Amino acid sequence: MAGRREAPLMRSGSGSGQPLSRGSRIAAAVAVGVTLGCVCAFLYPDGLISRSSDSALHWPRRADSVACETSEKVDYLKSQLASLERKNAEFRKQINELSMKLQMAEHGKTKALYRAGPFGTVKAFRTNPTVMPDETINPRLAKILQQVAVKKELIVAVANSNVKQTLEMWFTNIKRVGISNYLVVALDDSVESFCKSKDVPVYRRDPDEGIDSIGKTGGNHAVSALKFQILREFLQLGYSVLLSDIDIMFFQNPFDHLHRDSDIESMSDGHNNMTAYGFNDVFDEPSMGWARYAHTMRIWVYNSGFFFIRPTIPSIELLDRVAGRLSREPKSWDQAVFNEELFFPSHPGYEGLHASKRTMDIYLFMNSKVLFKTVRKDAYLRNLKPVIVHLNYHPDKEERMKAVIEFYVNGKQNALDHFPDGSE
C-alpha cells in the first residue's frame, strides 16, 4: 500500500523531512512584520495618517502653558532660595556668637586650669583669640579684602578730597617700597575717582548720612575720628589692620617689623626711651613733710594715627568705646579718647578695657619730633633706616615730607638741616 505524499510547505527548508514547529511559524511572522514596518517608515516618514490642522493649532498653546508654568516655578524657587539665604545668614550669625562665647569660655577655662611652674617661669596669656569672621556684614568689602590683603593683613588710610596732594605722596611711597596690601577708604567720590585713576586700591563705603557729611566737609580731626567706626567692619571680617594717617612716609615694609603679640601695637608720641616706654616720675609736695615725694608712673600717649589692631574682642570693644564717646563728645580729641580708653584702669564707677598693648620701636616707627630734634643731629642715628616717619609734630607737612624723602631715599645729607626743631 503506497504511502501518502506530504505537502511541500510542511517540510523544512533543510530537506530534513521534519514539519515546521509552531515557534518557527511565529518567528517568520515577526520577521515579515518588521520588514513591512521598515518599508512603511521609509516611504511615509510623517506617518500613514497626518496630524489634523486642529491639533497643530493646539500644540503652541500647550507650549505656552508649559512655559508659563515653568516661569512660575522658577519665581517660586527663587523666593525659596532667598528665604533660605536669609535663614542661613541668621544661623551663621548665631553660630558666630556661640563660637565667640565658646572661645572666651575655653580661654577662661584654660587660664583656670593653668598650673603655675617654677619661680621665674610663669607667663600670663598675652594674645587674645581672633573673632570668627562674618562676611555677611559687608560682602562687598569682604570681596575687596580678599583681593588686597596679604595673610589677612593690610594698611588702611581714610581720606577725603581736602588732602588729595598729601594722599598722593602717601601711596607713591608705599608703591616705591613694594607694599601691595594697602587700601584707601574714600570719603567722597572725588577721592574714589582719583585713586582709580592712579591704580590705587580704593573702597567707597555705602551711603551713610552721618559719615558722608563729615567725610566730605570735615577737617583732619573730624575725619580722623571716623576711622574708629569704619575699622570695625574690617575686624569683624577677620582682618588685622595697620591704620595709617596720610602724613606718613614708608621706607620699609612695616609688616616685617610687627610682633603681633598684642591686641594693639602703636607708635608713640614719646621722643626718647623714657617718654615712649614709661618712667617713674616723682611728684614733690613739700607741705607733706616726710611724705613730700610721691612716685608716679608716666608714659607719653600712643599715636592714634598709626597703630596695628588685631581682630579680637578687646580690639572691637576699644573701637566701640572710642566711637561711642566721640559721638557723645563731639569736641573731644580722638587721640586723647583713644588713650584714655586704652590705659585707664578699672575703678569705682568705671570698668577699664582689658586689652593687651605694645609700644613700637621709636626709631623704626619714628615721629617727626624724634627725627628733627634727635636723629638728624646724631651721627649714628642718621644712618639708621626707619620703617616709617610720621610728620605728626609739624604743620608744614608737605615740605618736610619732601625733605624726608630726599634724605632717606635720595641720600641728600643736608635735606633736613634748614628746618627748625619745632614749628616756630
Side-chain angles (χ1 to χ4, degrees):
M1 183 172 166
R4 185 165 60 93
R5 186 184 299 272
E6 291 182 337
L9 290 177
M10 298 297 292
R11 298 181 180 274
S12 67
S14 62
S16 61
Q18 297 297 324
L20 287 173
S21 66
R22 179 180 181 86
S24 298
R25 291 198 297 272
I26 293 174
V30 169
V32 172
V34 170
T35 302
L36 290 174
C38 291
V39 172
C40 291
F42 179 76
L43 295 177
Y44 304 98
D46 294 329
L48 294 175
I49 302 175
S50 63
R51 185 181 298 272
S52 66
S53 60
D54 182 63
S55 298
L57 289 174
H58 282 287
W59 169 249
R61 295 178 184 174
R62 288 198 298 270
D64 291 343
S65 176
V66 172
C68 181
E69 184 179 351
T70 302
S71 177
E72 291 177 354
K73 287 183 178 179
V74 170
D75 292 340
Y76 173 74
L77 291 175
K78 285 182 178 179
S79 66
Q80 289 293 101
L81 179 61
S83 176
L84 290 174
E85 287 178 346
R86 287 193 298 270
K87 291 181 179 178
N88 185 43
E90 293 176 0
F91 287 143
R92 288 181 62 181
K93 183 178 180 180
Q94 293 175 4
I95 290 173
N96 289 339
E97 292 175 353
L98 291 174
S99 298
M100 200 173 299
K101 292 178 180 179
L102 179 61
Q103 283 183 351
M104 299 307 293
E106 288 294 327
H107 193 53
K109 179 181 177 182
T110 304
K111 288 190 289 185
L113 297 177
Y114 182 75
R115 183 186 297 274
F119 178 81
T121 64
V122 176
K123 288 187 177 182
F125 289 94
R126 285 165 172 76
T127 306
N128 285 302
T130 57
V131 300
M132 181 81 70
D134 182 9
E135 294 187 1
T136 62
I137 64 164
N138 193 331
R140 186 167 65 87
L141 177 58
K143 186 176 181 180
I144 294 174
L145 295 182
Q146 289 172 4
Q147 298 171 347
V148 173
V150 174
K151 296 180 180 178
K152 305 283 283 187
E153 298 175 342
L154 75 160
I155 300 171
V156 174
V158 180
N160 62 11
S161 55
N162 294 335
V163 292
K164 191 177 294 185
Q165 186 173 351
T166 310
L167 175 64
E168 185 170 13
M169 295 178 66
W170 179 82
F171 63 66
T172 298
N173 273 274
I174 285 182
K175 289 182 177 182
R176 178 183 51 78
V177 175
I179 302 169
S180 61
N181 52 330
Y182 69 100
L183 181 70
V184 174
V185 178
L187 296 179
D188 55 47
D189 296 334
S190 177
V191 168
E192 180 184 20
S193 300
F194 177 68
C195 288
K196 289 181 178 179
S197 70
K198 299 293 184 178
D199 195 27
V200 171
V202 63
Y203 165 62
R204 180 76 164 95
R205 300 182 77 255
D206 291 333
D208 184 299
E209 183 177 351
I211 290 181
D212 286 348
S213 61
I214 298 174
K216 293 177 181 178
T217 60
N220 289 342
H221 285 306
V223 171
S224 181
L226 294 177
K227 62 196 174 192
F228 299 98
Q229 183 176 345
I230 293 172
L231 289 183
R232 193 185 202 278
E233 289 185 340
F234 288 77
L235 268 58
Q236 283 183 277
L237 291 170
Y239 290 84
S240 296
V241 174
L242 184 57
L243 189 281
S244 172
D245 281 353
I246 60 172
D247 58 342
I248 291 176
M249 299 287 96
F250 289 78
F251 302 102
Q252 298 186 61
N253 191 326
F255 295 104
D256 295 336
H257 300 273
L258 296 175
H259 290 264
R260 301 174 179 84
D261 62 348
S262 305
D263 297 305
I264 306 290
E265 288 184 59
S266 178
M267 72 172 298
S268 171
D269 271 1
H271 60 93
N272 54 29
N273 288 352
M274 285 179 56
T275 56
Y277 309 138
F279 64 101
N280 184 354
D281 185 38
V282 180
F283 176 78
D284 184 9
E285 190 175 6
S287 64
M288 287 298 294
W290 174 82
R292 62 183 291 181
Y293 300 110
H295 290 256
T296 68
M297 301 307 300
R298 299 282 299 279
I299 185 172
W300 285 28
V301 296
Y302 282 177
N303 191 289
S304 63
F306 192 86
F307 60 86
F308 180 71
I309 184 167
R310 295 176 58 249
T312 66
I313 291 297
S315 296
I316 295 175
E317 184 182 356
L318 172 64
L319 297 180
D320 288 351
R321 285 184 177 219
V322 176
R325 277 190 57 185
L326 292 175
S327 66
R328 298 187 301 270
E329 307 166 16
K331 294 184 179 181
S332 295
W333 183 25
D334 66 283
Q335 180 161 293
V337 174
F338 174 72
N339 280 273
E340 289 171 5
E341 293 298 335
L342 195 55
F343 284 97
F344 280 178
S346 299
H347 56 260
Y350 176 79
E351 183 179 351
L353 179 71
H354 297 272
S356 57
K357 45 197 171 290
R358 167 182 282 272
T359 306
M360 292 176 170
D361 188 317
I362 62 172
Y363 295 110
L364 291 179
F365 300 92
M366 192 185 302
N367 63 56
S368 56
K369 183 174 183 177
V370 172
L371 174 61
F372 286 96
K373 187 177 179 180
T374 304
V375 171
R376 68 171 175 166
K377 302 174 183 178
D378 187 283
Y380 173 74
L381 294 177
R382 285 171 65 94
N383 294 321
L384 296 179
K385 185 179 182 180
V387 176
I388 61 116
V389 173
H390 189 181
L391 274 295
N392 59 314
Y393 270 102
H394 300 88
D396 50 340
K397 296 182 183 299
E398 292 184 4
E399 290 302 315
R400 291 189 185 241
M401 289 171 74
K402 292 176 183 177
V404 171
I405 294 172
E406 287 293 324
F407 182 79
Y408 283 112
V409 178
N410 300 326
K412 189 176 179 181
Q413 294 300 303
N414 63 345
L416 306 177
D417 294 350
H418 66 283
F419 291 99
D421 288 354
S423 57
E424 69 274 6

